[in-house]
Amino acid sequence: MGRINYLTFILATAILMAVMFFGELYRSYPPFLALTVISFLISLVNLFLIHHKTLQIRLCVYNAIILVAYQVWIIYLLWSIKKHSGLALEKFPVSIVFPSICIILNILAISHLRRITASENLLTKLKANKKKNTKK
């Protein structure tokens, strides 16, 4: 069950790294690059927090919030360019949807991490009750 989390973290990190190196829109506008780097670093840190599941959940939530704001900002920027310049943007770069994919991966990781922590908490309670009953 834990492998799914690390797969989602690895995919999100790889997608954000691809955005940093291959996304022209992101490299040309410094705030986008800064948000991409911040989100990439949060995803990278999540990979190495194996035994701190609650911290991983928090970082996933923060990363998802950053990515939602990032995606809204991208859409707003493209909408305003289209509206003010009169350009018809028929072809959007594929990299525009990458933050949305990372949001979905973070949500999947959050749900799996919550399941794991709930099962771990249940097991510790059962072990504590078993020890308590054997002492009597």
Side-chain angles (χ1 to χ4, degrees), residues 49-63:
L49 294 173
I50 296 170
H51 300 290
H52 305 284
K53 305 245 184 297
T54 55
L55 184 59
Q56 279 183 329
I57 291 171
R58 288 180 187 164
L59 287 176
C60 278
V61 169
Y62 296 148
N63 201 9

Side-chain angles (χ1 to χ4, degrees), residues 75-128:
I75 292 169
Y76 172 75
L77 183 69
L78 290 176
W79 183 266
S80 65
I81 288 173
K82 180 180 174 183
K83 187 177 178 181
H84 293 298
S85 66
L87 294 174
L89 297 173
E90 290 97 19
K91 292 177 97 178
F92 289 109
V94 176
S95 60
I96 288 176
V97 292
F98 286 170
S100 297
I101 295 170
C102 291
I103 292 167
I104 293 168
L105 290 172
N106 278 320
I107 291 171
L108 287 173
I110 289 168
S111 67
H112 288 288
L113 284 168
R114 285 187 178 165
R115 286 183 198 150
I116 290 171
T117 55
S119 65
E120 286 175 355
N121 289 339
L122 181 64
L123 284 175
T124 56
K125 286 181 182 179
L126 288 174
K127 287 180 183 179

Side-chain angles (χ1 to χ4, degrees), residues 2-103:
R3 292 181 186 162
I4 295 171
N5 295 331
Y6 300 112
L7 181 64
T8 57
F9 292 144
I10 289 170
L11 285 174
T13 306
I15 288 170
L16 288 168
M17 188 169 29
V19 166
M20 279 193 308
F21 292 119
F22 302 117
E24 294 174 17
L25 173 71
Y26 304 100
R27 285 186 287 156
S28 63
Y29 195 55
F32 284 170
L33 183 63
L35 284 174
T36 306
V37 168
I38 290 169
S39 185
F40 170 75
L41 290 175
I42 291 173
S43 293
L44 192 64
V45 167
N46 256 342
L47 279 173
F48 299 110
L49 294 173
I50 296 170
H51 300 290
H52 305 284
K53 305 245 184 297
T54 55
L55 184 59
Q56 279 183 329
I57 291 171
R58 288 180 187 164
L59 287 176
C60 278
V61 169
Y62 296 148
N63 201 9
I65 291 170
I66 289 171
L67 287 169
V68 165
Y70 189 22
Q71 188 68 47
V72 168
W73 194 9
I74 291 170
I75 292 169
Y76 172 75
L77 183 69
L78 290 176
W79 183 266
S80 65
I81 288 173
K82 180 180 174 183
K83 187 177 178 181
H84 293 298
S85 66
L87 294 174
L89 297 173
E90 290 97 19
K91 292 177 97 178
F92 289 109
V94 176
S95 60
I96 288 176
V97 292
F98 286 170
S100 297
I101 295 170
C102 291
I103 292 167

